[in-house]
Amino acid sequence: MFDIDEFRESQIALHGLIKANESYTFYHDETNNIRKLHVAAQGLNVAELKVFVLGGVVHEGPPRPIDIQSLRAAMRIQKTAPEIKLEHVAKGDFLKVMRSTKLTTFLRWITDNRLMVHYHELDPLYWSIVDIIDSILSKLRDPYLVQHHALLKSDLTAILRSDLPATISLFYRYDYPGLAPENRKLFLNELIDLLEHYSAVIAVPNAAILKNVLKAGRGLDSLDFIEGYSPNMLIDDFSTFYQGRIAIFKHATHVLDMEETIRDRFLETPLTSGGEPVTHYRFADSKAEPGIQLSDVIVGLLGKMHTYFTETLSDEVAADRAELTGASLQNAELLRDLIAASDRANIAFLNHVSSGHDLDKLDLFLRFRDGAYVHR
């Protein structure tokens, strides 16, 4: 069993979530769920690392009817299509999707119908390497370094992303995240070598601090979060992110797209609160739930956007943004305003497990009116 209350209380205290007790109705869908991520001799088990997104639309209060017939008509969705999906709105990579006039219609409809967005996005590479920094900082207990832990993780991600084949090879050779204690120094030495080779991708002072942190790790008696775990298993399950959303918004209604692997995991590890079964969520068929259909489009768009940020340098993002015109520009502004309004409504709606450098690109591309998106 998984009791949601302890996790919920820790998250509320850690992030200062003041509206976690409000009544909402969430519709959930996902994109880029690779189920598991592991390293083998030939490389990763997936061809491309794309950003996982769990999210969709949310509205205040208990469930209410969502009539999408006017949206279907406005987007000229064929009557034979049993449901709306992203492919009916736009196809291609992120920048191609942003050119769609149907997306303009969709984003305006969402706002006009008093719907907001919520999502949890996760960069698999970032998630796979943060334990390196956490293992060292938890032992050093240096307040300055702890304060800047997110920047250290973001910088390390930038370094390892610069030569992904070398990173994957390093992980495989040392059974990461199941390092043997005798390989601790060797592993960190190779990380330092990569840092020295690709240090130009981060600021000079940042590279110096990151190098000192990795060097300090060589003198520790253990790296608790990357030693003794299953060799080469970087991510073994995504169900914990579903559990987290349901736990934090304990007083809301959650309608989830039927994902059998997630449902089965919930059956294996039932959610409880105070010893009683949790009943404020259900799995549903998207064809019968307009809210899930809307969520499919939202998470598909956001998944493409955040993957684009992981694959594109900041200068290129800035150049792409400067070239937006017509529908692309309208969609960027509509998406910006929708995300900003959702964030203002409840900071717990949006959650990022990704590099701070990539969140800077979110600001760079969408140009939030306050000049800076709040990193979470």
Side-chain angles (χ1 to χ4, degrees):
M1 293 187 296
F2 175 82
D3 192 279
I4 67 173
D5 293 319
E6 182 177 352
F7 172 84
R8 179 176 190 268
E9 291 166 6
S10 67
Q11 292 299 300
I12 290 173
L14 180 63
H15 300 291
L17 307 180
I18 61 174
K19 294 184 179 180
N21 291 331
E22 300 293 318
S23 173
Y24 297 105
T25 299
F26 290 85
Y27 293 90
H28 301 262
D29 202 355
E30 63 172 29
T31 190
N32 301 330
N33 186 342
I34 54 178
R35 313 303 180 201
K36 297 180 184 294
L37 181 64
H38 58 81
V39 183
Q42 68 275 17
L44 296 176
N45 63 303
V46 295
E48 297 179 86
L49 281 179
K50 297 183 178 181
V51 173
F52 166 75
V53 174
L54 169 66
V57 296
V58 54
H59 64 74
E60 295 180 344
R64 59 175 167 86
I66 301 177
D67 186 354
I68 59 173
Q69 293 309 309
S70 63
L71 177 61
R72 288 181 63 107
M75 293 196 300
R76 298 180 180 178
I77 305 296
Q78 293 183 354
K79 293 183 179 180
T80 54
E83 58 184 321
I84 298 176
K85 301 183 76 67
L86 179 62
E87 64 188 36
H88 298 125
V89 179
K91 297 180 180 179
D93 61 21
F94 173 60
L95 294 179
K96 288 181 180 178
V97 167
M98 290 296 284
R99 299 184 193 127
S100 169
T101 55
K102 288 186 178 180
L103 180 60
T104 310
T105 300
F106 178 87
L107 293 174
R108 284 176 174 161
W109 191 94
I110 292 292
T111 300
D112 291 344
N113 283 269
R114 297 180 293 115
L115 294 170
M116 298 170 286
V117 298
H118 69 98
Y119 72 99
H120 176 105
E121 62 101 357
L122 176 139
D123 172 12
L125 178 62
Y126 180 85
W127 181 247
S128 298
I129 64 95
V130 294
D131 284 339
I132 297 172
I133 298 298
D134 285 338
S135 292
I136 299 172
L137 297 191
S138 66
K139 294 280 189 176
L140 297 181
R141 299 182 182 277
D142 183 317
Y144 175 82
L145 295 176
V146 171
Q147 181 182 356
H148 293 89
H149 71 97
L151 180 57
L152 288 165
K153 295 170 186 177
S154 298
D155 285 340
L156 181 58
T157 300
I159 296 297
L160 297 184
R161 194 184 280 165
S162 296
D163 193 342
L164 193 56
T167 296
I168 294 169
S169 174
L170 173 65
F171 286 175
Y172 179 71
R173 286 183 284 108
Y174 288 99
D175 291 332
Y176 181 88
L179 267 68
E182 61 268 23
N183 288 331
R184 186 181 308 130
K185 292 182 180 180
L186 295 173
F187 176 77
L188 290 175
N189 281 337
E190 291 205 38
L191 276 183
I192 292 170
D193 290 342
L194 281 172
L195 168 60
E196 292 176 339
H197 190 76
Y198 293 103
S199 60
V201 304
I202 60 177
V204 173
N206 294 22
I209 294 172
L210 179 58
K211 183 176 180 179
N212 286 336
V213 168
L214 296 176
K215 289 172 67 175
R218 297 181 306 190
L220 299 176
D221 58 4
S222 67
L223 297 174
D224 293 344
F225 306 132
I226 58 173
E227 294 180 6
Y229 290 87
S230 299
N232 297 135
M233 181 59 73
L234 300 177
I235 302 175
D236 64 355
D237 184 33
F238 284 83
S239 65
T240 182
F241 306 115
Y242 283 82
Q243 293 170 342
R245 304 303 274 175
I246 292 170
I248 290 173
F249 291 101
K250 177 181 176 180
H251 303 287
T253 298
H254 298 265
V255 184
L256 300 88
D257 188 29
M258 176 55 76
E259 297 289 344
E260 292 185 359
T261 56
I262 302 298
R263 180 203 59 188
D264 291 348
R265 181 56 63 96
F266 277 31
L267 291 174
E268 294 169 3
T269 309
L271 304 185
T272 61
S273 175
E276 297 296 325
V278 167
T279 59
H280 62 280
Y281 75 93
R282 63 183 175 87
F283 291 92
D285 183 345
S286 58
K287 295 182 180 64
E289 290 287 351
I292 295 179
Q293 296 177 40
L294 300 174
S295 298
D296 177 278
V297 179
I298 290 294
V299 298
L301 171 63
L302 295 174
K304 288 177 183 290
M305 179 179 73
H306 283 288
T307 298
Y308 160 77
F309 294 145
T310 67
E311 298 172 344
T312 312
L313 297 175
S314 294
D315 289 347
E316 295 176 42
V317 172
D320 289 340
R321 177 60 176 82
E323 293 176 359
L324 296 186
T325 60
S328 294
L329 182 56
Q330 290 183 60
N331 288 333
E333 293 173 347
L334 288 166
L335 182 58
R336 173 200 64 199
D337 293 346
L338 182 58
I339 290 175
S342 301
D343 184 61
R344 287 194 302 271
N346 195 320
I347 63 171
F349 283 172
L350 311 177
N351 189 36
H352 303 277
V353 182
S354 58
S355 164
H357 300 318
D358 291 337
L359 290 182
D360 288 338
K361 297 171 191 174
L362 177 63
D363 264 335
L364 196 59
F365 191 88
L366 293 185
R367 298 184 181 178
F368 289 91
R369 297 186 188 280
D370 61 1
Y373 183 74
V374 180
H375 289 190
R376 277 188 276 285

